[in-house]
Amino acid sequence: IPVDPFDLVVIGGTGDLARRKILPALYRRFCAGQMPEGAQVIGAARTEMDDAGYRDFVGAALDEYAQPAGCAERARFLDMLGYVTLDALGDQGWSDLAARLDEGRVRAFYFSVGPALFGPLAERLQRHGMAGADTRIVVEKPFGRDLASARALNTDLARYFTEGQIYRIDHYLGKETVQNLMAIRFGNMLFEPLWNSQYVDHIQITVAETIGVDGRGEYYERAGAMRDMVQNHLMQLLCLIAMEPPAKFDPDAVRDEKLKVIRALDPVKPDDVVRGQYLADGGRPGFREHVGNAESTTESFIALKARISNWRWAGTPFYLRTGKRLRARTSEIAVVFKDTPHSIFGPEAGQHRNILTIRLQPNEGIDLGVTIKEPGPGGMRLVDVPLDMTFAQALGPEAEDVPDAYERLIMDVIRGNQTLFMRGDEVEAAWAWTDPIIAGWTEGAGAPLPYDTGSAGPDEALALMHRDGRAWREIR
Ligand code: BG6
């Protein structure tokens, strides 16, 4: 859907996120014909630079990060860019910036900077007359580091902007397959009647990465996997899997339902959490070297068992795990159904379970494990086979070029659609659940356990499920 011309200001426009994600995403939208004539993208940062310098800078970023390489009219895209030298905490640049913006069109300010600057930036936008009703602000994670700091950020922003103007990004919500979770659940009659503790034994959510924390050691040492991944990305996946059907696909209806899930989460017992740290491996530094702290107690891996105390889910545990330097880069959600109540084929047929796996990345698709008869004359032997669908194959070649999450999310900001953004109360509720878990280990519940690069995390994470008579799916 085409959008009207807009002004987008990327504060922190020379930073890593701008180079890697925001600008390549805008370029790809441009190539897809979605950036209207007259739209303006202004980079703003402390570095002294002029428009031409910024165009060169962005050109280099596109060479490195825009995949596939893009389209023929790259020069026209670069012409849409401008640059203002801006002091986030001082006065320099603010009136220049104001003078560049057009009246009467959507203007969005992307705060691609640390949370300490959110409040000061919001205040300056207002002081310089840029906080009117057409203004939207986009803020990146981390949105605070606990409930108190998240509340303080919400309060700061609320002084200058209404909730309807604030777009809190969780880029997982922009992933195509994450949106597909809602399509699968609420666009089919097949799954929803079974989507409860009567039929679902448990749910597993895995976000495994092969990368380490190289280059982000300083941030990561203070965050750890719980704050970096669980409080936001895994929590959002859990919400979309567990929420009640919203009455319609509209921002508040969806976010109300997600919030109810977070509020229904039980506190997690210390015994139900396993933390890990990756070791050095064949010359590659380990976690402690990456964060520059030989005694670091920050986790690069976490597995935990969560419970949702509501009518639908009481009795069905949700097992979550995520980590760096694991065996493979794979993110999936597995809904493991219960055993049939009675086997008419006798004990030799064995117990079989249906498992619905939603593959978020790579190889996006869904796979439903069903039980059929093993071919041959040897009696009624059962075997599990996959009903496997890769979206790209099912939908044809166009679907192979999956848009990056940021493409979708930035255009949603321009369109004014907040469905895929976190509301303030949602973020706070997520921290309210996370804080006591973190307090559990900072109060001495033990250091993270070491694990090898290329493994599935510490063995204790396997034990977390084994003791419940269950097993993680393989990471591969
Ligand atoms: C980010 C985290 O939010 O998400 C990173 O800060 C992590 O640590 C990344 O690597 C994972 O995102 P994706 O899109 O590669 O799964």
Side-chain angles (χ1 to χ4, degrees), residues 160-224:
Y160 311 102
F161 297 102
T162 62
E163 183 61 34
Q165 294 176 285
I166 305 171
Y167 290 72
R168 295 177 196 76
I169 287 214
D170 182 314
H171 80 280
Y172 265 58
L173 290 176
K175 287 183 190 276
E176 273 292 313
T177 4
V178 175
Q179 296 169 59
N180 239 321
L181 273 179
M182 286 184 276
I184 291 165
R185 279 195 64 192
F186 306 126
N188 293 286
M189 196 55 210
L190 190 58
F191 303 116
E192 199 50 28
L194 307 179
W195 213 260
N196 56 56
S197 60
Q198 206 184 332
Y199 297 102
V200 177
D201 177 72
H202 72 278
I203 289 178
Q204 306 185 11
I205 303 180
T206 299
V207 177
E209 297 184 279
T210 50
I211 53 164
V213 301
D214 353 0
R216 305 169 73 214
E218 202 185 318
Y219 154 74
Y220 205 91
E221 167 71 352
R222 279 181 292 113

Side-chain angles (χ1 to χ4, degrees), residues 21 141 171-172 175 207 209 211 216 219-220 228-229 232-233 324 329 331 361:
K21 294 289 185 187
K141 69 173 264 260
H171 80 280
Y172 265 58
K175 287 183 190 276
V207 177
E209 297 184 279
I211 53 164
R216 305 169 73 214
Y219 154 74
Y220 205 91
D228 184 51
M229 297 292 288
N232 37 76
H233 305 325
K324 308 275 186 210
R329 177 172 190 255
S331 302
Q361 61 194 27

